[in-house]
Amino acid sequence: MSVPLDDLMMHYPLTLTHFFERSRRLWAKKTLATRVPGQPLHRYTYADFAARTMRLAGALAALGIRKGDRVATFAWNSHRHLELYWAAPLMGGVLHTLNIRLSPQDLTFIVNHAGDSIIFADASVWPVLAGVRDQLPTVRRIVIMRDTHEATVPAGFTEYEALLKDAAPVTGWPALDETDAAGMCYTSGTTGNPKGVVYTHRAMFLHCLAQSMADQFGISEDDTVLHIVPMFHANSWCIPFTGVMVGATQIFAGPNPQPRDICEIIQNEKVTFTGAVPTVWIAVKELCETEGWDISSLRTIAIGGSAAPKHLQMAYAKQFGVRMSHAWGMTEMTPLGTVTRLKSYMQDWSEEQQYDVRVRVGYPSVGVDARIVDDAGTELPWDGVSMGELQVRGPWVVGAYYNNPEAADRFTRDGWFRTGDVATIDAEGYVQITDRTKDLIKSGGEWISSVDVENMIMSHPKVLEAAVIAVPHPKWVERPLACVVPKPGTTLAPAEILDFLRPQLAKWALPDEVAIVEAVPKTSVGKFDKKVLRERFKDWTPKDA
Ligand code: ADP
């Protein structure tokens, strides 16, 4: 008779419930804080957070939220938002974070597509939602959260604190399957229509573990984490979940944080870990230089969402003693895909060689398989030169978009997700994102990476920001046009940029022209919005046409 050998471990579901219950017991004394404009930080303990989250879950149940119902948020980063992050999925609902900067059309589309039952909105952004309220038939109720001292609650609406005060806390949590939906986010539509990504408990559980590893962001109990990435942008990169898991002190940046608010919190609270898109760090650097803020308490800045230029990483290391950790990810990947860390034997490499590694987006996280393929779907070698579409798979990578059969072409027949990014992978496994497929510039028979050229331009001492786009050209199909923002107080001639680039670039990759612009338009999550620039320069006539 054969003795059972396989499957003798417990079938313990990987749900967020485990993190919350463990955290509630272990980290009760630790602090969570939120910036309130014009006021001292609002502070409370993890014990308060846990108690309020249990009341909130009771309130949600009393409001008729049942398993699988979408609980939407329309809010800045705050402890209230964190309570919703946990109460909704733990009681069986699905947290749906809405981007407060979306156009009314996108917002209406997303709420209706997701079928949200209830929306928790910050008072300061409520007017945006009010404008489309009568076009949201699935939304049964809107709860208003007072995010500023002056905020008022419109007549007839439930106020968040009142809701909590009157609620009976839950006494336990329902048994959930690890494949149950915990949260949902729509891609912010940088490319095409927003698409819904539904995170399972299991995906988030495993993602949090990986994210906290020493070789990733190394987030731990003794960190003080500042959340700048909006909680509606890929769940603030999932870091608030990881933060609760490890029991870190966490600070939420509050309504509409500006670079000076960020500097002030880092300096005063001795923040050790934070993250944001490069445009934020460009602005913070300017401010530290002109106003002398002390950000040296930071041990790591996670930077990603778009390429982190080499000169920016060098400036933070040299001027402020702060190491940047360059990462790549997507809403579709919960979002972590790769993180740059030098391998131990690279510590002896020259500074130049080290920054050549740091400017890449890192090697795939444990849990993420990556490959690059050519147009015919053939896998390309990891040689640092072969360039193809980056494809990924893993337990926290989207397997299908929510209710969107048209997007089936984003998945390959053999089970990989097509990221839409073009990349190389070198022999050490470091990925370099060359471009998004649609941002690559096709000039004659050659591909030009807009990211490479932008990085070079942004290392010019007089340049604040630069974005390079393709403009139509009768002979070459497309040619690069550089849109450059000079640093405040400097004057910059286009020729200075071209002279600076000439020795570094092949002749055909040199932008035909440099447009000096006041600002590079940004997307709703702070990335360069090349769609807007392309539109602005669509009738641009090349000099030699
Ligand atoms: P959106 O699609 O609205 O920009 P996401 O945050 O999901 O929202 O964007 C993911 C995309 O951002 C990736 O596919 C990639 O193109 C880009 N990206 C993310 N991190 C980096 C990085 N470190 N370097 C270059 N591009 C990046």
Side-chain angles (χ1 to χ4, degrees), residues 99 186-191 233-234 237 277-278 303-308 326-333 335 338 359-361 410 417 419-422 432-437 439 451 523-525 527:
N99 182 335
Y186 278 68
T187 59
S188 52
T190 309
T191 51
H233 183 204
W237 298 350
V277 293
I303 181 166
S306 50
H326 192 190
W328 166 85
M330 302 181 76
T331 300
E332 289 90 334
M333 300 180 70
T338 62
V359 84
R360 292 162 180 269
V361 296
R410 294 294 299 273
F417 170 64
T419 64
D421 284 336
V422 181
Q432 174 131 31
I433 305 291
T434 317
D435 246 321
R436 281 191 164 185
T437 322
D439 289 341
V451 173
T523 69
S524 61
V525 293
K527 304 184 191 189

Side-chain angles (χ1 to χ4, degrees), residues 386-446:
S386 305
M387 205 166 81
E389 183 181 45
L390 182 58
Q391 301 186 344
V392 290
R393 63 179 185 194
W396 57 81
V397 178
V398 65
Y401 287 104
Y402 172 65
N403 190 16
N404 193 342
E406 302 91 74
D409 62 348
R410 294 294 299 273
F411 303 88
T412 68
R413 277 162 195 249
D414 60 343
W416 293 70
F417 170 64
R418 305 178 52 186
T419 64
D421 284 336
V422 181
T424 60
I425 307 181
D426 68 16
E428 296 275 4
Y430 288 83
V431 177
Q432 174 131 31
I433 305 291
T434 317
D435 246 321
R436 281 191 164 185
T437 322
K438 59 161 199 27
D439 289 341
L440 266 178
I441 302 162
K442 185 158 203 196
S443 171
E446 303 284 356

Side-chain angles (χ1 to χ4, degrees), residues 346-520:
M346 294 175 178
Q347 303 299 338
D348 305 329
W349 289 11
S350 71
E351 189 182 56
E352 196 56 29
Q353 281 175 307
Q354 290 190 353
Y355 277 98
D356 282 345
V357 175
R358 291 190 184 284
V359 84
R360 292 162 180 269
V361 296
Y363 47 76
S365 161
V366 63
V368 175
D369 290 335
R371 70 179 185 186
I372 40 172
V373 300
D374 65 15
D375 287 345
T378 310
E379 196 170 340
L380 297 169
W382 290 20
D383 58 10
V385 182
S386 305
M387 205 166 81
E389 183 181 45
L390 182 58
Q391 301 186 344
V392 290
R393 63 179 185 194
W396 57 81
V397 178
V398 65
Y401 287 104
Y402 172 65
N403 190 16
N404 193 342
E406 302 91 74
D409 62 348
R410 294 294 299 273
F411 303 88
T412 68
R413 277 162 195 249
D414 60 343
W416 293 70
F417 170 64
R418 305 178 52 186
T419 64
D421 284 336
V422 181
T424 60
I425 307 181
D426 68 16
E428 296 275 4
Y430 288 83
V431 177
Q432 174 131 31
I433 305 291
T434 317
D435 246 321
R436 281 191 164 185
T437 322
K438 59 161 199 27
D439 289 341
L440 266 178
I441 302 162
K442 185 158 203 196
S443 171
E446 303 284 356
W447 291 104
I448 301 170
S449 158
S450 64
V451 173
D452 279 357
V453 185
E454 282 160 11
N455 277 341
M456 284 177 198
I457 301 177
M458 285 196 278
S459 67
H460 189 287
K462 286 190 187 172
V463 171
L464 186 67
E465 290 175 348
V468 175
I469 53 163
V471 285
H473 190 284
K475 179 167 172 201
W476 302 111
V477 185
E478 288 177 351
R479 288 294 298 150
L481 170 74
C483 305
V484 178
V485 185
K487 280 196 179 158
T490 56
T491 46
L492 182 67
E496 289 180 70
I497 296 297
L498 294 174
D499 291 345
F500 180 70
L501 290 178
R502 214 163 271 120
Q504 310 181 56
L505 272 179
K507 195 159 169 282
W508 47 265
L510 193 72
D512 282 9
E513 225 167 284
V514 175
I516 303 293
V517 294
E518 259 175 36
V520 175

